Each structure stands twice: as C-alpha cells, then as structure tokens.
C-alpha cells in the first residue's frame, strides 16, 4: 500500500508539473500570437501612411528631373522616382492585407501578404542602391553640363539657347553664377560683357529690385549663392529622403514578415489527404 501510495503521489506531482508547463506554454503562445497580430495591425497602418510619403518623395525627384531636364544628358535619371511610386502602389494592398491578417487568420491572405512583402523588400533594396548611385552620378553630370552652359552665356538679351537657360536657372533657383557671383568676373564667363563696361553680373542675378542692373556695388540686391550647389542640394535632399524611406520600410517589412510567420505557424494547413489515390478508388 505504501508503494502504491508513493507511486500515486509521484504521478500526481508529475501531472501537476506537466500541467503547469502546458499552461505556461499556452499562455506564452497566446501572448506571442496577440503581439504578432497587434504588430501586423500597426505595420499595416504605417504602410498606408508610408505610401503617401513615398509617393511625395518619388514625385519630387521626377519633377526635379523634369524641370531641369536640359541639364541632364541621360533620360533615365527619374528612374528612382518612378520606382518609389511603384513601391508606394504596392504598399497600399500590402497594408490592407496586413490589417486583414491581424483581424482574421486566413491562409490565403497570409501567403499573399508574404509574397507582397518579398516583392516590396526587393523594390526597397533596389531603390536604396539606385538613390546612392544616382546621387553621385547626377551630381557629376550637373557639374559638367552647368559648367558648359555658363561658359556659353552671351548676355541677357542674347538669343542663344545657353543664355536663356542660364537666366531661367538663376531666376528659378535664386542664385548667381556656378559656384557664386564672382564666377561672372573671372574665366570664360567674364567675356559675356564688353571689356569697356564696368564689371557686373547678369540681371537675372537680381532680387526683386526695379533699379537693379547687376552692379557689384549693390551686393544686397543680388543673389550671391551659386546655382550648382543649390541644385545639388535639392537633388541630394530628394535622394536622401527616398533612401531614408527605404531603410525604414525595409525594417517594417521584416517585422511584418516575422509576425506573419508566427501566425502562419499556428494556422495549420488544410487536410489534403483526400487527394491520396486511395480516396478515389
């Protein structure tokens, strides 16, 4: 009797330990699934907001290249902007699926979400690499092209194509010269006005003053910053903005993929044994 009692007590103690372990496992498993659902819901909402931000960044780069297309010899420089717009369009259904999966487990939605996240991750990595390469490439292209255009300037009233481009560029960017206003006083750019004239800069360097004629004695009426630096800063801003978005979205996509994987591991596949040949005999 004593032996039987000891065995029963041992079995009872073992059962209680196993029950406690099972309870803890179920509790931790439930907590993990709830956290994964909450994370997917949060990421899905962020994806919607990020689609708007990414579209803004892409359109900024596209319009920048379009407005100054005469300074770029290559026609594919807006590619990062278009790629950002495509990624933003893919983000919208991805956000909807992420929210849907967080509310209701569906094997089809989970699989589709995982595929979209993989496509997005490839797009984001490609876009991040392009922004870094194009930022350097376009800066070098601008320096070469703008140098040629400024050296060909023949005066504000000249009908030459380069002259009109320089005047339009200086008015739009509110700048003067390639590096700064002193570029008009030295080198080939200084030959645009007669040697007998007093040294001055083109009138497109003037701020909104009616009596401004580009006289260097009135520097307060002139833009003094160079056009190259201003345009390069805008270009670097657009590319850096897209790169930052890519890094942030890549992290969120990895989190969404991990959360979706956790939910998929707790969502069993349908029983497909009815496809066995014996079922059709």
């Amino acid at each position: 009797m004593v032996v039987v009692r000891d065995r029963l007590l041992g079995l009872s103690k073992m059962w209680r330990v196993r029950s406690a372990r099972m309870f803890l496992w179920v509790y931790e498993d439930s907590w993990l699934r709830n956290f994964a659902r909450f994370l997917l819901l949060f990421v899905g909402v962020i994806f919607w907001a990020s689609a708007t931000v990414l579209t803004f960044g892409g359109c900024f780069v596209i319009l920048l290249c379009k407005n100054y297309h005469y300074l770029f010899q290559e026609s594919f420089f807006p590619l990062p902007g278009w790629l950002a717009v495509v990624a933003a369009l893919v983000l919208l259904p991805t956000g909807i699926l992420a929210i849907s999966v967080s509310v209701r487990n569906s094997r089809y939605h989970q699989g589709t979400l995982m595929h979209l996240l993989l496509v997005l991750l490839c797009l984001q990595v490609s876009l991040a690499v392009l922004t870094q390469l194009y930022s350097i490439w376009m800066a070098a292209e601008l320096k070469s092209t703008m140098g040629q255009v400024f050296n060909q300037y023949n005066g504000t009233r000249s009908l030459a194509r380069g002259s009109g481009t320089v005047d339009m560029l200086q008015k739009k960017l509110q700048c003067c010269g390639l590096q700064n206003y002193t570029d008009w006083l030295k080198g080939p750019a200084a030959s645009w006005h007669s040697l007998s004239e007093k040294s001055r800069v083109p009138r497109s360097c003037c701020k909104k003053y009616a009596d401004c004629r580009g006289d260097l004695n009135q520097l307060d009426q002139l833009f003094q910053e160079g056009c190259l630096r201003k345009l390069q800063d805008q270009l670097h801003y657009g590319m850096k903005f897209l790169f930052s978005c890519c890094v942030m979205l890549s992290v969120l996509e990895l989190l969404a993929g991990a959360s979706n994987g956790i939910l998929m591991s707790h969502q069993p596949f349908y029983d497909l044994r009815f496809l066995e040949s014996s079922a059709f005999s």
Side-chain angles (χ1 to χ4, degrees):
M1 293 293 295
V2 175
V3 175
V4 173
R5 186 182 62 183
D6 291 341
R7 287 183 177 179
L8 290 176
L9 288 175
L11 290 174
S12 177
K13 184 177 180 181
M14 185 181 300
W15 182 82
R16 287 197 299 270
V17 171
R18 290 183 177 180
S19 299
R21 289 180 178 177
M22 182 65 68
F23 174 78
L24 289 175
W25 181 82
V26 171
Y27 176 78
E28 291 177 357
D29 185 65
S30 176
W31 179 86
L32 187 61
R33 280 182 291 173
N34 290 334
F35 178 75
R37 288 194 181 95
F38 171 78
L39 189 59
L40 265 182
L41 178 63
F42 173 75
V43 171
V45 175
I46 295 297
F47 278 170
W48 282 0
S50 300
T52 304
V53 175
L54 199 59
T55 302
F56 168 78
C59 291
F60 176 81
V61 173
I62 293 171
L63 292 177
L64 186 65
C65 294
K66 182 180 179 180
N67 291 336
Y68 302 101
H69 64 90
Y70 46 85
L71 297 175
F72 299 110
Q73 297 179 359
E74 304 295 342
S75 59
F76 51 81
F77 278 141
L79 181 60
W82 287 112
L83 197 60
V85 173
V86 172
L89 293 177
V90 180
L91 272 174
L92 292 175
T94 305
I96 295 175
L97 278 175
I99 296 175
S100 174
V101 169
S102 68
V103 176
R104 181 173 62 89
N105 286 341
S106 171
R107 175 63 63 176
Y108 302 110
H109 290 174
Q110 289 171 342
T112 305
L113 176 61
M114 199 64 82
H115 281 88
L116 286 177
L117 288 173
L118 182 60
V119 171
L120 271 175
L121 190 60
C122 293
L123 284 174
Q124 300 297 337
V125 171
S126 301
L127 181 57
V129 173
L130 280 180
T131 53
Q132 295 301 300
L133 292 177
Y134 275 42
S135 181
I136 300 172
W137 192 358
M138 293 174 74
E141 182 81 11
L142 279 176
K143 186 175 182 180
S144 174
T145 307
M146 290 180 66
Q148 295 176 4
V149 171
F150 274 81
N151 288 335
Q152 295 172 359
Y153 186 77
N154 293 324
T156 303
R157 297 181 181 179
S158 173
L159 298 178
R161 180 184 177 186
S163 299
T165 299
V166 170
D167 288 328
M168 181 174 58
L169 192 64
Q170 292 187 146
K171 289 179 180 179
K172 186 181 295 186
L173 293 175
Q174 297 184 350
C175 56
C176 186
L178 190 63
Q179 302 294 338
N180 53 58
Y181 74 99
T182 60
D183 290 337
W184 294 114
L185 311 177
K186 57 187 179 181
S191 62
W192 70 274
H193 56 78
S194 174
L195 294 177
S196 60
E197 293 182 1
K198 188 176 180 180
S199 296
R200 58 189 179 90
V201 298
R203 294 191 64 179
S204 55
C205 289
C206 292
K207 298 178 183 178
K208 295 181 179 180
Y209 289 97
D211 58 341
C212 178
R213 301 193 177 204
D215 192 348
L216 293 178
N217 293 328
Q218 299 174 326
L219 286 179
D220 58 321
Q221 297 183 0
L222 303 175
F223 300 115
Q224 301 180 29
E225 189 176 354
C227 297
L228 178 61
R229 179 64 180 273
K230 273 203 165 185
L231 192 52
Q232 285 181 342
D233 286 346
Q234 290 187 17
L235 175 64
H236 289 156
Y237 171 79
M239 294 299 179
K240 188 175 181 181
F241 181 83
L242 290 181
F243 179 79
S244 302
C245 290
C246 290
V247 173
M248 181 193 71
L249 286 173
S250 297
V251 174
L252 291 177
E253 287 155 15
L254 291 174
L255 290 176
S259 301
N260 191 37
I262 292 173
L263 295 179
M264 290 181 72
S265 65
H266 295 87
Q267 179 74 11
F269 285 100
Y270 292 108
D271 190 3
L272 301 179
R273 285 179 296 177
F274 68 89
L275 295 178
E276 297 178 357
S277 58
S278 60
F280 296 94
S281 58

